[in-house]
Amino acid sequence: QSALTQPASVSGSPGQSITISCTGTSSDVGAYNFVSWYQQHPGKAPKLMIYDVSNRPSGVSNRFSGSKSGNTASLTISGLQAEDEADYYCGSYTSSATPVFGGGTKLTVL
Amino acid sequence: QITLKESGPTLVKPTQTLTLTCTLSGFSLSTSGMGVGWIRQPPGKALEWLALIYWDDDSRYRPSLKSRLTITKDTSKNQVVLTLTNIDPVDTATYYCARSITTVRGVMNFDYWGQGTLVTVSS
């Protein structure tokens, strides 16, 4: 069960849009529509931002959206704000009936 | 108000067994579809899913740690307990518990998290 692959870092300016990718295999991301995304600020617990590929929990800004194509899922943040600066983790269900996280991506708002 | 809170030792010696407790409030693990999981994060590193337990006692474990992990629940106390045997310095991490609601076992939609507890493994 290998971790999903995410870029180590991405950056963007306020107001811009950024996309974070999450690459898995045909045994996890590619096989199921059970991808989730978490935001984690330093010293804080993670927060669920997207579940089941593209669904937002109540209270999460509609600036956050999720999608999937093949073995790669993506998180897009539009209208980037300073408060979006954080670490982001993807997660997926796997063919082992267990979940796996990605390696995490640090988002810097320039 | 839904809350989860982790408790347990902050310092553990190598080879010992780590026991962590997650106390739930505002929801019941006896409710159909409910699950609670444990996730850890070594300092400066990524999240690692460890285990999940469901309302009907079904459980799932991280394959690489399955032989060392046990997750149980005490519904009457609203608690979930994780044990990790033969602990090693590489197990030093912040340990989180989190709630997951899903109809598919093994899917993690962790919508509520505890604050986490830092466990250091050192002699």
Side-chain angles (χ1 to χ4, degrees), chain A residues 40-102:
Chain A
Q40 186 180 34
H41 288 108
K44 300 295 186 182
K47 175 185 177 182
L48 181 65
M49 305 302 285
I50 296 287
Y51 68 95
D52 295 352
V53 175
S54 59
N55 293 311
R56 275 189 312 274
S58 175
V60 172
S61 171
N62 59 10
R63 298 187 298 107
F64 292 82
S65 62
S67 62
K68 191 187 84 167
S69 177
N71 295 339
T72 298
S74 299
L75 173 71
T76 298
I77 309 174
S78 59
L80 207 56
Q81 299 179 0
E83 67 206 49
D84 300 331
E85 184 163 294
D87 293 328
Y88 291 84
Y89 293 91
C90 63
S92 176
Y93 179 74
T94 75
S95 58
S96 302
T98 57
V100 64
F101 279 107

Side-chain angles (χ1 to χ4, degrees), chain B residues 5-79:
Chain B
K5 187 170 184 179
E6 306 88 352
S7 58
T10 58
L11 181 63
V12 184
K13 289 181 167 49
T15 75
Q16 289 185 335
T17 294
L18 171 66
T19 300
L20 295 171
T21 300
C22 177
T23 301
L24 321 175
S25 178
F27 72 100
S28 173
L29 195 42
S30 61
T31 302
S32 178
M34 205 70 70
V36 171
W38 284 93
I39 304 97
R40 72 180 181 183
Q41 186 171 37
K45 296 187 178 181
L47 300 171
E48 296 177 355
W49 169 78
L50 297 177
L52 270 162
I53 191 164
Y54 294 95
W55 78 98
D56 58 358
D57 281 325
D58 183 25
S59 59
R60 306 293 162 97
Y61 294 99
R62 184 181 185 85
S64 60
L65 293 174
K66 189 174 183 178
S67 63
R68 298 173 53 208
L69 284 169
T70 303
I71 188 169
T72 59
K73 65 178 178 64
D74 186 332
T75 305
S76 64
K77 293 183 179 179
N78 272 345
Q79 291 180 333

Side-chain angles (χ1 to χ4, degrees), chain A residues 30-50:
Chain A
Y32 310 98
N33 289 323
F34 295 127
V35 176
S36 53
W37 289 91
Y38 298 85
Q39 176 193 65
Q40 186 180 34
H41 288 108
K44 300 295 186 182
K47 175 185 177 182
L48 181 65
M49 305 302 285
I50 296 287

Side-chain angles (χ1 to χ4, degrees), chain B residues 9-13 92-93 118-122:
Chain B
T10 58
L11 181 63
V12 184
K13 289 181 167 49
T92 293
L118 175 61
V119 177
T120 302
V121 182
S122 174

